[in-house]
Amino acid sequence: MARTLINVPATAKRGEVVEIKALISHPMETGFRPASDGALIPRDIIRRFACTYNGEEVFSVDLFPAITANPFLTFTTVANESGEIALSWTDDQGKTQTETVTITVE
């Protein structure tokens, strides 16, 4: 689907609040903009983002056309155990892109 940039600390102490940053390159076409022929460009936005930590959802958000192109999200979670953090973006066409990173809790 698109290029992503994810920033999650590789290690954390048990109980530490960690900041997760995620960006996806996406045009976020609103469906209101005309093309050169005057026809409206079909809407194509990321409509949902979700983050799971070892399979448990820790953050999710529904996005709407007012969100900028290349949406950048920052949120926090508590590092309780080592494992996998999965970040998923779903667009209007039903395509889902999932990226995973691992975090080691000491």
Side-chain angles (χ1 to χ4, degrees):
M1 181 190 305
R3 188 172 79 99
T4 61
L5 294 173
I6 299 168
N7 187 335
V8 176
T11 60
K13 295 180 181 173
R14 187 171 309 278
E16 180 180 352
V17 175
V18 295
E19 185 176 66
I20 299 171
K21 297 178 181 176
L23 179 143
I24 187 165
S25 296
H26 194 279
M28 298 294 278
E29 200 56 66
T30 65
F32 299 117
R33 191 167 63 96
S36 59
D37 64 356
L40 293 178
I41 298 172
R43 180 179 139 160
D44 183 18
I45 66 169
I46 301 289
R47 62 183 170 150
R48 179 157 175 83
F49 171 82
C51 174
T52 61
Y53 182 8
N54 286 336
E56 181 181 341
E57 187 170 283
V58 293
F59 179 82
S60 68
V61 62
D62 292 323
L63 303 174
F64 298 93
I67 299 295
T68 184
N70 307 324
F72 175 71
L73 301 167
T74 301
F75 54 96
T76 59
T77 190
V78 178
N80 290 323
E81 60 187 25
S82 297
E84 183 178 272
I85 295 175
L87 303 104
S88 298
W89 295 261
T90 303
D91 70 11
D92 274 343
Q93 299 171 358
K95 295 179 188 171
T96 298
Q97 180 169 339
T98 301
E99 303 289 337
T100 60
V101 294
T102 57
I103 185 168
T104 302
V105 175
E106 302 169 339

